[in-house]
Amino acid sequence: MERIVLPLLLLLVASAAVGSAAEAGRRKGKGTRYSVMAFHAAGDGETDDSKAFEETWDSACRDSGGATVYVPEGRTFLLGETKLQGPCKSPITMQVDGDIVAPSSLWSLKSLTSLLAFYRVDNLTVDGIGQIDGRGAPWWDCYNQKKCHYRPQLVSFSFCNGLRVTNIRLKDSADKHMSVFECSQVQVHNVSVMAPWDSPNTDGITMGASDHVRISSCNIHSGDDCVSILTGTTDVNVTDVTCGPGHGISVGSLGGAGEKPALVERITVSNCNFFSTMTGVRIKSWQGGRGKANTFLFRDLNMTEVRYPIDIDQFYCPEGNCPEREGGVAITDARFINIRGTSSEQEAIQILCSKSAPCHGIFLHNVDLSWANHTAPTKAKILNAQGRVAGTVKPQVRFRGL
């Protein structure tokens, strides 16, 4: 009898260990939940839990019945560079209810580094009530002292189709908070980003070479663009976003030196609020660039003390010493409708296009912008642009024939 009972007990112990790794077992509609705690994460905010996260992910990714990687509430997980790769055998969820923090000192000087990087994972959902904190202050100082050429991003998604990111909070990234590259069918909803206004290059959400992107109900405070739309991106809808401080919602920059021809099409920004940003909605490109950017709709936007609420700039040059060059990215069909509020400068509208690549199809309808804390009227500066106005447009905009 003892010879039979002992192997049986060992089998039961082994089965229990496997069950604990899939902590909650099968849950209706969500498959198996794999807790990082079952893979020896410490969750004390001091021990590096990167390996535990990667091992948890690997097990969940191999589950063909759908799986959730669970980061439990009430704990803080310290990560370094953590790569979570696919393809996975079924749709997968990363449930971040606990907090994640980066190391408090400089931890990687490599290019293209992220604290949390998702690569080639289709049908991925990242959700939760937790916060991901990049602890970026040492990196900002290093960058300002011109000592750090590379800085890590906070969360990156590359080649992830059918992506949903909801509810999480991002804070104080060393560089960009969230980047989306080569992704299709993306939804970002109710995500918050928080970083100081003077933190360098801490864009909220940056996307490139992606399509069918929906960003909604997000609250973004950063030191750079709240949302940045880079070349190769088409069919983007940004709605119900609160932006500020920061640099606004920007298309570009496009057409930089050595880049292949730019392409950005079908961009809609609607029902957004801007507070004390550098620009409201902006299209920016370098002189001498190639390619096209077209079919923009900016509508139902509120501006509060925004430096340039409407800005098209084909002379983008952040260093301020760029030589004059022929050519540029062709900007056409940009509509600005129902835009109201205040500017912090008298020149509230800038549409500055190059003589060799003038802008076409610019349309303004029901624009009402006043100069904050001043009685003098706002002004507009228009250069090499063709378009028309309708309804009340303040400041007065006059397009010239080209």
Side-chain angles (χ1 to χ4, degrees):
M1 177 68 72
E2 291 180 355
R3 293 179 180 178
I4 297 174
V5 170
L6 184 57
L8 180 60
L9 288 173
L10 292 174
L11 179 61
L12 290 172
V13 169
S15 298
V18 171
S20 68
E23 185 189 7
R26 294 284 169 181
R27 296 184 302 160
K28 186 177 180 181
K30 293 187 178 180
T32 306
R33 184 169 75 173
Y34 295 79
S35 171
V36 296
M37 302 304 295
F39 289 81
H40 311 296
D44 58 8
E46 297 179 359
T47 305
D48 188 346
D49 286 325
S50 303
K51 183 178 179 181
F53 270 58
E54 291 175 349
E55 289 180 353
T56 311
W57 175 269
D58 289 344
S59 291
C61 190
R62 290 194 295 267
D63 192 324
S64 60
T68 296
V69 174
Y70 179 55
V71 182
E73 187 178 1
R75 292 181 176 271
T76 299
F77 300 87
L78 174 67
L79 299 183
E81 182 179 7
T82 304
K83 296 180 180 178
L84 306 180
Q85 301 189 45
C88 296
K89 289 189 175 180
S90 62
I92 188 167
T93 295
M94 182 91 169
Q95 185 73 27
V96 184
D97 288 340
D99 292 339
I100 294 172
V101 296
S104 56
S105 58
L106 307 184
W107 54 272
S108 177
L109 293 172
K110 297 184 295 183
S111 65
L112 303 177
T113 298
S114 299
L115 185 72
L116 200 55
F118 297 88
Y119 181 74
R120 292 196 182 279
V121 185
D122 289 345
N123 302 311
L124 166 66
T125 296
V126 178
D127 183 40
I129 60 174
Q131 176 176 271
I132 305 176
D133 186 349
R135 292 176 167 178
W139 292 97
W140 308 332
D141 291 341
C142 187
Y143 174 82
N144 290 331
Q145 295 169 15
K146 303 187 184 303
K147 294 181 180 179
C148 290
H149 187 62
Y150 300 115
R151 290 173 289 155
Q153 299 181 28
L154 197 56
V155 183
S156 64
F157 302 93
S158 303
F159 303 94
C160 296
N161 300 323
L163 170 66
R164 294 181 69 250
V165 185
T166 55
N167 302 320
I168 60 170
R169 295 172 291 135
L170 308 178
K171 180 177 184 289
D172 290 348
S173 178
D175 198 79
K176 296 171 178 60
H177 283 81
M178 182 193 301
S179 67
V180 175
F181 177 74
E182 286 276 9
C183 298
S184 181
Q185 300 293 342
V186 177
Q187 295 182 41
V188 180
H189 177 74
N190 197 37
V191 169
S192 72
V193 175
M194 186 71 67
W197 68 270
D198 58 350
S199 54
N201 308 115
T202 54
D203 300 63
I205 303 169
T206 297
M207 69 197 80
S210 297
D211 60 78
H212 305 299
V213 179
R214 303 290 179 266
I215 298 173
S216 60
S217 302
C218 293
N219 200 330
I220 303 175
H221 311 257
S222 73
D224 210 297
D225 296 329
C226 292
V227 177
S228 176
I229 301 167
L230 305 180
T231 188
T233 302
T234 62
D235 189 22
V236 175
N237 192 311
V238 180
T239 188
D240 190 29
V241 168
T242 298
C243 172
H247 292 184
I249 296 178
S250 298
V251 176
S253 59
L254 304 174
E259 290 184 8
K260 62 182 182 181
L263 173 64
V264 174
E265 294 182 315
R266 302 192 307 281
I267 310 298
T268 298
V269 178
S270 63
N271 298 296
C272 295
N273 296 289
F274 300 80
F275 296 92
S276 301
T277 52
M278 186 175 75
T279 64
V281 285
R282 172 167 62 159
I283 305 171
K284 53 182 177 175
S285 65
W286 296 83
Q287 291 185 81
R290 298 174 297 151
K292 61 181 182 179
N294 61 70
T295 318
F296 300 95
L297 174 59
F298 305 105
R299 67 175 304 151
D300 302 315
L301 309 177
N302 295 310
M303 308 284 174
T304 302
E305 296 193 26
V306 172
R307 186 175 182 184
Y308 301 118
I310 296 173
D311 186 16
I312 296 178
D313 183 8
Q314 280 190 316
F315 302 92
Y316 179 67
C317 179
E319 301 301 326
N321 58 353
C322 300
E324 191 170 327
R325 300 180 62 188
E326 290 289 312
V329 175
I331 297 173
T332 58
D333 188 15
R335 293 173 289 162
F336 302 86
I337 299 172
N338 298 337
I339 300 177
R340 295 178 171 81
T342 60
S343 63
S344 61
E345 301 286 339
Q346 187 173 19
E347 194 171 274
I349 296 177
Q350 285 193 146
I351 302 176
L352 307 179
C353 306
S354 74
K355 190 174 182 179
S356 57
C359 300
H360 291 270
I362 312 301
F363 176 65
L364 291 90
H365 177 66
N366 288 350
V367 175
D368 188 355
L369 298 168
S370 58
W371 188 11
N373 304 315
H374 291 78
T375 57
T378 50
K379 296 181 179 180
K381 185 176 181 180
I382 312 298
L383 181 66
N384 300 313
Q386 177 274 328
R388 63 190 182 91
V389 299
T392 300
V393 174
K394 188 179 77 173
Q396 188 178 50
V397 172
R398 292 185 178 180
F399 293 104
R400 298 180 179 178
L402 297 174

